[in-house]
């Protein structure tokens, strides 16, 4: 892995202002990237139910004047989102069946997942939780005790996962309280944080966050959610190096998205950029059948073909595991384990 680089940290409070500046209409987004509706086929662009949210840093990585830019396609609301999509679901992973307490999902034996926040810095149009009822099902201060008591009462749980929404939408003070409470449970050894904020607002890696993550007794793993090399800017790479300097293990998971990263050379460039930033590729997910995101699907035969090409291009440690999440399974399902359709 590349050497850790010492870099000066950003202002602590700046990331919250960037998160507040992210909300915009579709028309505003188009104007900021130098496009109009006329640059797209008729009916493709629409104002959505799921609001548009694009932080300034992510916005700055989008190529201006390019309607096919792979970063733009991930955040631009399209008319297809509202079209009838037979067979698509609002809860494609049947997560309602795994709620063990308010804000606590228990899918796997040794891991417990906390829906720590309902907020996200960036709104990804392919999101499988785009219909999730965060209002009644995320972790609240009052429900937290029940969720933590369940984890404390089950010695089989050695890893707690913070998910959302995006757990790094929480303030450093709130995160610190939550992590301290988890660290007080003796049989929990590992804290895993899933976050897309880090590629959308790299300034989220504040000195306070670094202190927090380096000070806990837990092994800390952060899985960043990045889909394209264009997201790994110099600022994002610098933030990753600060996290590595704090002893955090960094992994990435991507979603295979039509028009964004469904080509072996695109994925290979992404893996190399991640590695240079100190992040190992971990999972490449097929899309889940969520209502409103069918236009991002890549079918299984094509995904397998892309993976084969990728294996020929990269060392094995840079090839993410191609998986599909199948409701009811005790782990993610590698595509090689599914019958070829
Ligand atoms: S950051 Fe994650 S949870 Fe939030 S909109 Fe994007 S994919 Fe969904």
């Amino acid at each position: 892995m590349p050497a850790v680089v010492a870099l000066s940290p950003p202002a602590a409070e700046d990331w919250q202002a960037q998160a507040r500046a992210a909300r915009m209409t579709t028309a505003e987004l188009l104007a900021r990237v130098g496009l109009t509706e006329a640059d797209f086929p008729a009916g493709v662009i629409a104002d959505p139910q799921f609001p548009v949210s694009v932080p300034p840093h992510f916005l700055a990585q989008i190529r201006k004047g390019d309607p096919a830019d792979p970063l733009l396609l991930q955040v631009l609301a399209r008319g297809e989102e509202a079209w009838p999509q037979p067979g698509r679901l609002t809860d494609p992973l049947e997560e309602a069946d795994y709620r063990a307490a308010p804000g606590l999902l228990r899918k796997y034996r040794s891991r417990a997942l906390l829906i720590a926040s309902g907020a996200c810095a960036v709104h990804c149009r392919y999101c499988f939780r785009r219909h999730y009822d965060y209002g009644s099902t995320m972790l609240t201060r009052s429900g937290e005790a029940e969720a933590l008591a369940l984890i404390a009462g089950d010695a089989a749980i050695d890893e707690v996962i913070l998910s959302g929404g995006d757990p790094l939408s929480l303030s450093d003070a709130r995160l610190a309280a939550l992590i301290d409470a988890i660290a007080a449970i003796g049989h929990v050894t590992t804290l895993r944080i899933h976050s897309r904020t880090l590629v959308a607002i790299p300034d989220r890696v504040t000195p306070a966050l670094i202190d927090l993550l380096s000070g806990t007794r837990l092994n800390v793993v952060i899985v960043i959610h990045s889909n394209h090399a264009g997201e790994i800017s110099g600022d994002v790479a610098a933030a990753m190096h600060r996290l590595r300097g704090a002893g955090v293990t960094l992994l990435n998971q991507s979603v295979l998205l039509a028009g964004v990263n469904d080509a072996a050379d695109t994925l290979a460039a992404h893996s190399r950029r991640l590695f240079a930033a100190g992040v190992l590729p971990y999972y490449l997910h097929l899309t889940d059948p969520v209502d409103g995101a069918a236009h991002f699907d890549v079918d299984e035969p094509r995904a397998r073909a892309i993976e084969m090409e990728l294996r020929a291009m990269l060392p094995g440690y840079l090839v993410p595991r191609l998986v599909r999440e199948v409701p009811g399974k005790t782990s993610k399902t590698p595509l090689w384990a599914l019958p070829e359709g």
Side-chain angles (χ1 to χ4, degrees):
M1 301 282 274
V4 173
V5 178
L7 294 148
S8 53
E13 69 288 353
D14 187 44
W15 70 272
Q16 286 168 314
Q18 293 178 47
R20 284 193 295 275
R23 284 296 176 94
M24 61 187 75
T25 64
T26 299
E28 286 167 342
L29 172 58
L30 288 176
R32 290 185 199 189
V33 297
L35 295 168
T36 69
E37 277 197 48
D39 292 306
F40 298 85
V44 159
I45 302 302
D47 267 320
Q49 272 190 322
F50 181 42
V52 173
S53 185
V54 191
H57 178 84
F58 195 92
L59 193 61
Q61 312 314 311
I62 296 173
R63 275 193 308 269
K64 304 296 173 281
D66 181 359
D69 179 83
L71 274 61
L72 176 66
L73 295 181
Q74 296 178 60
V75 295
L76 180 65
R78 299 172 69 98
E80 287 111 307
E81 294 182 18
W83 296 354
Q85 299 187 339
R88 310 294 289 198
L89 306 164
T90 54
D91 180 12
L93 302 185
E94 300 174 7
E95 293 189 312
D97 296 347
Y98 298 100
R99 275 178 206 138
L104 173 65
L105 298 184
R106 188 78 196 282
K107 288 189 193 180
Y108 307 131
R109 187 167 156 65
S110 63
R111 286 145 280 165
L113 184 148
L114 295 173
I115 301 288
S117 168
C120 297
V122 59
H123 285 183
C124 317
R125 309 317 301 177
Y126 53 84
C127 178
F128 78 92
R129 288 199 182 122
R130 55 184 292 149
H131 304 285
Y132 199 81
D133 179 13
Y134 289 109
S136 62
T137 53
M138 74 176 184
L139 196 68
T140 59
R141 283 167 201 263
S142 55
E144 187 177 308
E146 184 184 345
L148 292 173
L150 268 170
I151 296 170
D154 187 345
I157 299 173
D158 60 14
E159 179 171 357
V160 174
I161 301 165
L162 301 186
S163 182
D166 197 312
L168 292 184
S169 299
L170 297 174
S171 68
D172 289 327
R174 173 77 182 115
L175 262 181
L178 186 55
I179 292 173
D180 283 350
I182 294 166
I185 302 171
H187 54 259
V188 176
T189 59
T190 303
L191 175 75
R192 190 193 327 167
I193 299 173
H194 279 254
S195 177
R196 184 144 167 78
T197 296
L198 298 176
V199 295
I201 310 178
D203 287 348
R204 177 65 189 91
V205 183
T206 58
L209 183 68
I210 292 292
D211 287 348
L212 176 58
L213 299 178
S214 57
T216 178
R217 71 161 185 86
L218 300 166
N219 292 322
V220 181
V221 179
I222 296 184
V223 182
I224 71 165
H225 290 202
S226 167
N227 300 313
H228 192 278
E231 296 168 24
I232 312 299
S233 66
D235 287 346
V236 169
M240 297 301 114
H241 287 304
R242 291 202 297 280
L243 287 167
R244 286 196 64 216
V248 174
T249 298
L250 292 171
L251 305 171
N252 179 66
Q253 73 175 41
S254 301
V255 185
L256 187 61
L257 299 167
V260 172
N261 59 5
D262 56 336
D265 55 351
T266 305
L267 292 168
H270 188 211
S271 281
R272 292 191 180 106
R273 188 79 68 90
L274 287 166
F275 185 57
V279 183
L280 277 175
Y282 175 38
Y283 278 136
L284 177 60
H285 281 260
L286 291 193
T287 46
D288 302 305
V290 66
D291 192 44
H295 51 291
F296 285 112
D297 286 357
V298 176
D299 64 34
E300 286 188 15
R302 196 140 166 275
R304 289 176 205 267
I306 291 170
E307 186 195 28
M308 288 301 290
E309 248 188 284
L310 194 58
R311 285 189 182 286
M313 297 170 81
L314 291 173
Y317 59 87
L318 290 187
V319 179
R321 300 166 180 86
L322 179 62
V323 294
R324 180 185 279 295
E325 190 145 0
V326 180
K329 294 284 184 192
T330 53
S331 63
K332 306 262 190 303
T333 306
L335 230 58
W336 56 258
L338 290 169
E340 289 196 34

